[in-house]
PDB file of all heavy atoms in Angstrom:
ATOM      1  N   LEU A 142     -49.541-141.548 147.235  1.00  0.00           N
ATOM      2  CA  LEU A 142     -50.908-141.711 146.727  1.00  0.00           C
ATOM      3  C   LEU A 142     -51.713-140.433 146.886  1.00  0.00           C
ATOM      4  O   LEU A 142     -52.515-140.074 146.009  1.00  0.00           O
ATOM      5  CB  LEU A 142     -51.582-142.875 147.454  1.00  0.00           C
ATOM      6  CG  LEU A 142     -50.951-144.256 147.220  1.00  0.00           C
ATOM      7  CD1 LEU A 142     -51.514-145.271 148.211  1.00  0.00           C
ATOM      8  CD2 LEU A 142     -51.169-144.726 145.789  1.00  0.00           C
ATOM      9  N   ALA A 143     -51.504-139.732 147.999  1.00  0.00           N
ATOM     10  CA  ALA A 143     -52.211-138.474 148.230  1.00  0.00           C
ATOM     11  C   ALA A 143     -51.751-137.401 147.246  1.00  0.00           C
ATOM     12  O   ALA A 143     -52.574-136.679 146.657  1.00  0.00           O
ATOM     13  CB  ALA A 143     -51.987-138.007 149.662  1.00  0.00           C
ATOM     14  N   GLU A 144     -50.440-137.296 147.060  1.00  0.00           N
ATOM     15  CA  GLU A 144     -49.896-136.262 146.167  1.00  0.00           C
ATOM     16  C   GLU A 144     -50.438-136.397 144.758  1.00  0.00           C
ATOM     17  O   GLU A 144     -50.691-135.391 144.068  1.00  0.00           O
ATOM     18  CB  GLU A 144     -48.373-136.356 146.150  1.00  0.00           C
ATOM     19  CG  GLU A 144     -47.708-135.345 145.220  1.00  0.00           C
ATOM     20  CD  GLU A 144     -46.194-135.487 145.152  1.00  0.00           C
ATOM     21  OE1 GLU A 144     -45.637-136.357 145.863  1.00  0.00           O
ATOM     22  OE2 GLU A 144     -45.566-134.725 144.378  1.00  0.00           O
ATOM     23  N   HIS A 145     -50.653-137.630 144.319  1.00  0.00           N
ATOM     24  CA  HIS A 145     -51.042-137.852 142.929  1.00  0.00           C
ATOM     25  C   HIS A 145     -52.514-138.231 142.763  1.00  0.00           C
ATOM     26  O   HIS A 145     -52.926-138.645 141.676  1.00  0.00           O
ATOM     27  CB  HIS A 145     -50.137-138.917 142.318  1.00  0.00           C
ATOM     28  CG  HIS A 145     -48.690-138.501 142.315  1.00  0.00           C
ATOM     29  ND1 HIS A 145     -48.202-137.502 141.507  1.00  0.00           N
ATOM     30  CD2 HIS A 145     -47.632-138.925 143.077  1.00  0.00           C
ATOM     31  CE1 HIS A 145     -46.909-137.339 141.734  1.00  0.00           C
ATOM     32  NE2 HIS A 145     -46.537-138.181 142.677  1.00  0.00           N
ATOM     33  N   GLY A 146     -53.286-138.071 143.815  1.00  0.00           N
ATOM     34  CA  GLY A 146     -54.732-138.196 143.703  1.00  0.00           C
ATOM     35  C   GLY A 146     -55.257-139.579 143.409  1.00  0.00           C
ATOM     36  O   GLY A 146     -56.298-139.734 142.760  1.00  0.00           O
ATOM     37  N   PHE A 147     -54.567-140.616 143.869  1.00  0.00           N
ATOM     38  CA  PHE A 147     -55.053-141.983 143.674  1.00  0.00           C
ATOM     39  C   PHE A 147     -56.299-142.227 144.519  1.00  0.00           C
ATOM     40  O   PHE A 147     -56.383-141.784 145.669  1.00  0.00           O
ATOM     41  CB  PHE A 147     -53.984-143.001 144.089  1.00  0.00           C
ATOM     42  CG  PHE A 147     -52.973-143.325 143.041  1.00  0.00           C
ATOM     43  CD1 PHE A 147     -52.006-142.396 142.678  1.00  0.00           C
ATOM     44  CD2 PHE A 147     -52.978-144.561 142.406  1.00  0.00           C
ATOM     45  CE1 PHE A 147     -51.048-142.694 141.710  1.00  0.00           C
ATOM     46  CE2 PHE A 147     -52.029-144.876 141.436  1.00  0.00           C
ATOM     47  CZ  PHE A 147     -51.064-143.931 141.087  1.00  0.00           C
ATOM     48  N   LEU A 148     -57.262-142.930 143.945  1.00  0.00           N
ATOM     49  CA  LEU A 148     -58.393-143.464 144.700  1.00  0.00           C
ATOM     50  C   LEU A 148     -58.026-144.885 145.102  1.00  0.00           C
ATOM     51  O   LEU A 148     -57.691-145.706 144.241  1.00  0.00           O
ATOM     52  CB  LEU A 148     -59.660-143.468 143.847  1.00  0.00           C
ATOM     53  CG  LEU A 148     -60.874-144.198 144.427  1.00  0.00           C
ATOM     54  CD1 LEU A 148     -61.334-143.551 145.723  1.00  0.00           C
ATOM     55  CD2 LEU A 148     -62.016-144.243 143.412  1.00  0.00           C
ATOM     56  N   VAL A 149     -58.094-145.174 146.392  1.00  0.00           N
ATOM     57  CA  VAL A 149     -57.608-146.453 146.905  1.00  0.00           C
ATOM     58  C   VAL A 149     -58.765-147.263 147.483  1.00  0.00           C
ATOM     59  O   VAL A 149     -59.498-146.776 148.351  1.00  0.00           O
ATOM     60  CB  VAL A 149     -56.527-146.243 147.978  1.00  0.00           C
ATOM     61  CG1 VAL A 149     -56.058-147.578 148.540  1.00  0.00           C
ATOM     62  CG2 VAL A 149     -55.340-145.474 147.374  1.00  0.00           C
ATOM     63  N   GLY A 150     -58.925-148.475 146.997  1.00  0.00           N
ATOM     64  CA  GLY A 150     -59.876-149.410 147.585  1.00  0.00           C
ATOM     65  C   GLY A 150     -59.163-150.285 148.596  1.00  0.00           C
ATOM     66  O   GLY A 150     -58.102-150.845 148.300  1.00  0.00           O
ATOM     67  N   VAL A 151     -59.712-150.381 149.785  1.00  0.00           N
ATOM     68  CA  VAL A 151     -59.115-151.173 150.862  1.00  0.00           C
ATOM     69  C   VAL A 151     -60.013-152.368 151.155  1.00  0.00           C
ATOM     70  O   VAL A 151     -61.206-152.211 151.416  1.00  0.00           O
ATOM     71  CB  VAL A 151     -58.922-150.331 152.138  1.00  0.00           C
ATOM     72  CG1 VAL A 151     -58.418-151.197 153.294  1.00  0.00           C
ATOM     73  CG2 VAL A 151     -57.953-149.182 151.877  1.00  0.00           C
ATOM     74  N   SER A 152     -59.433-153.551 151.117  1.00  0.00           N
ATOM     75  CA  SER A 152     -60.187-154.776 151.394  1.00  0.00           C
ATOM     76  C   SER A 152     -60.236-155.018 152.891  1.00  0.00           C
ATOM     77  O   SER A 152     -59.205-155.209 153.535  1.00  0.00           O
ATOM     78  CB  SER A 152     -59.528-155.971 150.691  1.00  0.00           C
ATOM     79  OG  SER A 152     -59.533-155.796 149.292  1.00  0.00           O
ATOM     80  N   ILE A 153     -61.438-155.003 153.454  1.00  0.00           N
ATOM     81  CA  ILE A 153     -61.617-155.261 154.880  1.00  0.00           C
ATOM     82  C   ILE A 153     -63.005-155.858 155.074  1.00  0.00           C
ATOM     83  O   ILE A 153     -63.986-155.368 154.501  1.00  0.00           O
ATOM     84  CB  ILE A 153     -61.424-153.989 155.723  1.00  0.00           C
ATOM     85  CG1 ILE A 153     -61.510-154.317 157.213  1.00  0.00           C
ATOM     86  CG2 ILE A 153     -62.399-152.885 155.321  1.00  0.00           C
ATOM     87  CD1 ILE A 153     -60.927-153.260 158.121  1.00  0.00           C
ATOM     88  N   ASP A 154     -63.101-156.901 155.859  1.00  0.00           N
ATOM     89  CA  ASP A 154     -64.346-157.668 155.947  1.00  0.00           C
ATOM     90  C   ASP A 154     -65.164-157.403 157.198  1.00  0.00           C
ATOM     91  O   ASP A 154     -66.087-158.163 157.501  1.00  0.00           O
ATOM     92  CB  ASP A 154     -64.041-159.167 155.846  1.00  0.00           C
ATOM     93  CG  ASP A 154     -63.750-159.598 154.414  1.00  0.00           C
ATOM     94  OD1 ASP A 154     -63.922-158.771 153.491  1.00  0.00           O
ATOM     95  OD2 ASP A 154     -63.353-160.760 154.215  1.00  0.00           O
ATOM     96  N   GLY A 155     -64.854-156.314 157.911  1.00  0.00           N
ATOM     97  CA  GLY A 155     -65.627-155.995 159.101  1.00  0.00           C
ATOM     98  C   GLY A 155     -64.754-155.930 160.331  1.00  0.00           C
ATOM     99  O   GLY A 155     -63.520-155.816 160.245  1.00  0.00           O
ATOM    100  N   PRO A 156     -65.359-155.988 161.532  1.00  0.00           N
ATOM    101  CA  PRO A 156     -64.584-155.991 162.765  1.00  0.00           C
ATOM    102  C   PRO A 156     -63.599-157.149 162.822  1.00  0.00           C
ATOM    103  O   PRO A 156     -63.663-158.085 162.014  1.00  0.00           O
ATOM    104  CB  PRO A 156     -65.668-156.120 163.844  1.00  0.00           C
ATOM    105  CG  PRO A 156     -66.919-155.620 163.205  1.00  0.00           C
ATOM    106  CD  PRO A 156     -66.812-156.004 161.762  1.00  0.00           C
ATOM    107  N   ARG A 157     -62.705-157.097 163.783  1.00  0.00           N
ATOM    108  CA  ARG A 157     -61.553-157.993 163.842  1.00  0.00           C
ATOM    109  C   ARG A 157     -61.894-159.462 163.593  1.00  0.00           C
ATOM    110  O   ARG A 157     -61.303-160.113 162.721  1.00  0.00           O
ATOM    111  CB  ARG A 157     -60.868-157.857 165.210  1.00  0.00           C
ATOM    112  CG  ARG A 157     -59.618-158.740 165.363  1.00  0.00           C
ATOM    113  CD  ARG A 157     -59.065-158.658 166.787  1.00  0.00           C
ATOM    114  NE  ARG A 157     -58.685-157.311 167.137  1.00  0.00           N
ATOM    115  CZ  ARG A 157     -57.499-156.765 166.860  1.00  0.00           C
ATOM    116  NH1 ARG A 157     -56.573-157.472 166.224  1.00  0.00           N
ATOM    117  NH2 ARG A 157     -57.232-155.527 167.232  1.00  0.00           N
ATOM    118  N   ALA A 158     -62.811-160.026 164.364  1.00  0.00           N
ATOM    119  CA  ALA A 158     -63.074-161.466 164.257  1.00  0.00           C
ATOM    120  C   ALA A 158     -63.598-161.840 162.878  1.00  0.00           C
ATOM    121  O   ALA A 158     -63.228-162.888 162.321  1.00  0.00           O
ATOM    122  CB  ALA A 158     -64.063-161.901 165.334  1.00  0.00           C
ATOM    123  N   MET A 159     -64.443-160.993 162.303  1.00  0.00           N
ATOM    124  CA  MET A 159     -64.994-161.278 160.977  1.00  0.00           C
ATOM    125  C   MET A 159     -63.921-161.137 159.910  1.00  0.00           C
ATOM    126  O   MET A 159     -63.826-161.955 158.992  1.00  0.00           O
ATOM    127  CB  MET A 159     -66.167-160.347 160.691  1.00  0.00           C
ATOM    128  CG  MET A 159     -67.336-160.542 161.645  1.00  0.00           C
ATOM    129  SD  MET A 159     -68.687-159.407 161.259  1.00  0.00           S
ATOM    130  CE  MET A 159     -69.622-159.514 162.794  1.00  0.00           C
ATOM    131  N   HIS A 160     -63.114-160.100 160.006  1.00  0.00           N
ATOM    132  CA  HIS A 160     -62.047-159.886 159.031  1.00  0.00           C
ATOM    133  C   HIS A 160     -61.030-161.021 159.065  1.00  0.00           C
ATOM    134  O   HIS A 160     -60.633-161.555 158.021  1.00  0.00           O
ATOM    135  CB  HIS A 160     -61.344-158.557 159.306  1.00  0.00           C
ATOM    136  CG  HIS A 160     -60.173-158.309 158.416  1.00  0.00           C
ATOM    137  ND1 HIS A 160     -60.287-157.690 157.189  1.00  0.00           N
ATOM    138  CD2 HIS A 160     -58.857-158.615 158.557  1.00  0.00           C
ATOM    139  CE1 HIS A 160     -59.096-157.633 156.617  1.00  0.00           C
ATOM    140  NE2 HIS A 160     -58.202-158.178 157.433  1.00  0.00           N
ATOM    141  N   ASP A 161     -60.608-161.385 160.271  1.00  0.00           N
ATOM    142  CA  ASP A 161     -59.545-162.385 160.411  1.00  0.00           C
ATOM    143  C   ASP A 161     -60.013-163.819 160.186  1.00  0.00           C
ATOM    144  O   ASP A 161     -59.188-164.743 160.164  1.00  0.00           O
ATOM    145  CB  ASP A 161     -58.891-162.272 161.796  1.00  0.00           C
ATOM    146  CG  ASP A 161     -57.978-161.056 161.906  1.00  0.00           C
ATOM    147  OD1 ASP A 161     -57.527-160.559 160.855  1.00  0.00           O
ATOM    148  OD2 ASP A 161     -57.716-160.614 163.042  1.00  0.00           O
ATOM    149  N   ALA A 162     -61.311-164.006 160.014  1.00  0.00           N
ATOM    150  CA  ALA A 162     -61.814-165.370 159.783  1.00  0.00           C
ATOM    151  C   ALA A 162     -61.174-165.987 158.544  1.00  0.00           C
ATOM    152  O   ALA A 162     -60.808-167.169 158.552  1.00  0.00           O
ATOM    153  CB  ALA A 162     -63.338-165.345 159.650  1.00  0.00           C
ATOM    154  N   TYR A 163     -61.021-165.202 157.488  1.00  0.00           N
ATOM    155  CA  TYR A 163     -60.487-165.731 156.233  1.00  0.00           C
ATOM    156  C   TYR A 163     -59.339-164.911 155.650  1.00  0.00           C
ATOM    157  O   TYR A 163     -58.610-165.412 154.786  1.00  0.00           O
ATOM    158  CB  TYR A 163     -61.602-165.828 155.182  1.00  0.00           C
ATOM    159  CG  TYR A 163     -62.731-166.736 155.585  1.00  0.00           C
ATOM    160  CD1 TYR A 163     -64.051-166.277 155.583  1.00  0.00           C
ATOM    161  CD2 TYR A 163     -62.499-168.050 155.983  1.00  0.00           C
ATOM    162  CE1 TYR A 163     -65.103-167.116 155.958  1.00  0.00           C
ATOM    163  CE2 TYR A 163     -63.533-168.888 156.364  1.00  0.00           C
ATOM    164  CZ  TYR A 163     -64.833-168.414 156.347  1.00  0.00           C
ATOM    165  OH  TYR A 163     -65.863-169.242 156.723  1.00  0.00           O
ATOM    166  N   ARG A 164     -59.171-163.673 156.096  1.00  0.00           N
ATOM    167  CA  ARG A 164     -58.129-162.812 155.529  1.00  0.00           C
ATOM    168  C   ARG A 164     -56.848-162.960 156.346  1.00  0.00           C
ATOM    169  O   ARG A 164     -56.593-162.190 157.276  1.00  0.00           O
ATOM    170  CB  ARG A 164     -58.590-161.360 155.454  1.00  0.00           C
ATOM    171  CG  ARG A 164     -59.795-161.171 154.525  1.00  0.00           C
ATOM    172  CD  ARG A 164     -60.039-159.715 154.192  1.00  0.00           C
ATOM    173  NE  ARG A 164     -58.935-159.144 153.427  1.00  0.00           N
ATOM    174  CZ  ARG A 164     -58.753-159.293 152.117  1.00  0.00           C
ATOM    175  NH1 ARG A 164     -59.623-160.007 151.401  1.00  0.00           N
ATOM    176  NH2 ARG A 164     -57.723-158.741 151.519  1.00  0.00           N
ATOM    177  N   VAL A 165     -56.057-163.943 155.972  1.00  0.00           N
ATOM    178  CA  VAL A 165     -54.836-164.284 156.718  1.00  0.00           C
ATOM    179  C   VAL A 165     -53.626-164.185 155.779  1.00  0.00           C
ATOM    180  O   VAL A 165     -53.759-164.136 154.558  1.00  0.00           O
ATOM    181  CB  VAL A 165     -54.920-165.711 157.305  1.00  0.00           C
ATOM    182  CG1 VAL A 165     -56.040-165.789 158.332  1.00  0.00           C
ATOM    183  CG2 VAL A 165     -55.148-166.741 156.193  1.00  0.00           C
ATOM    184  N   ASP A 166     -52.420-164.178 156.381  1.00  0.00           N
ATOM    185  CA  ASP A 166     -51.207-164.102 155.573  1.00  0.00           C
ATOM    186  C   ASP A 166     -50.722-165.499 155.196  1.00  0.00           C
ATOM    187  O   ASP A 166     -51.388-166.507 155.480  1.00  0.00           O
ATOM    188  CB  ASP A 166     -50.132-163.287 156.290  1.00  0.00           C
ATOM    189  CG  ASP A 166     -49.647-163.936 157.585  1.00  0.00           C
ATOM    190  OD1 ASP A 166     -49.886-165.150 157.806  1.00  0.00           O
ATOM    191  OD2 ASP A 166     -49.001-163.228 158.393  1.00  0.00           O
ATOM    192  N   LYS A 167     -49.554-165.569 154.584  1.00  0.00           N
ATOM    193  CA  LYS A 167     -49.030-166.846 154.110  1.00  0.00           C
ATOM    194  C   LYS A 167     -48.756-167.823 155.252  1.00  0.00           C
ATOM    195  O   LYS A 167     -48.727-169.034 155.044  1.00  0.00           O
ATOM    196  CB  LYS A 167     -47.742-166.623 153.310  1.00  0.00           C
ATOM    197  CG  LYS A 167     -47.906-165.768 152.066  1.00  0.00           C
ATOM    198  CD  LYS A 167     -48.774-166.436 151.014  1.00  0.00           C
ATOM    199  CE  LYS A 167     -48.784-165.628 149.729  1.00  0.00           C
ATOM    200  NZ  LYS A 167     -49.688-166.204 148.707  1.00  0.00           N
ATOM    201  N   GLY A 168     -48.574-167.297 156.457  1.00  0.00           N
ATOM    202  CA  GLY A 168     -48.360-168.152 157.617  1.00  0.00           C
ATOM    203  C   GLY A 168     -49.632-168.468 158.371  1.00  0.00           C
ATOM    204  O   GLY A 168     -49.590-169.064 159.448  1.00  0.00           O
ATOM    205  N   GLY A 169     -50.785-168.040 157.821  1.00  0.00           N
ATOM    206  CA  GLY A 169     -52.065-168.282 158.472  1.00  0.00           C
ATOM    207  C   GLY A 169     -52.365-167.322 159.610  1.00  0.00           C
ATOM    208  O   GLY A 169     -53.315-167.532 160.369  1.00  0.00           O
TER     209      GLY A 169
END
């Protein structure tokens, strides 16, 4: 991504507890 100049958007909802409230994997 760096070599080819991609702009990357990263989804993150804040500090750990706030992020993990709803952003979970297939196993929860």
Side-chain angles (χ1 to χ4, degrees):
L142 296 168
E144 179 183 358
H145 299 290
F147 275 71
L148 171 62
V149 178
V151 175
S152 298
I153 184 162
D154 283 353
R157 181 185 300 275
M159 297 180 197
H160 176 88
D161 286 338
Y163 300 126
R164 297 194 65 80
V165 296
D166 65 16
K167 299 294 187 184

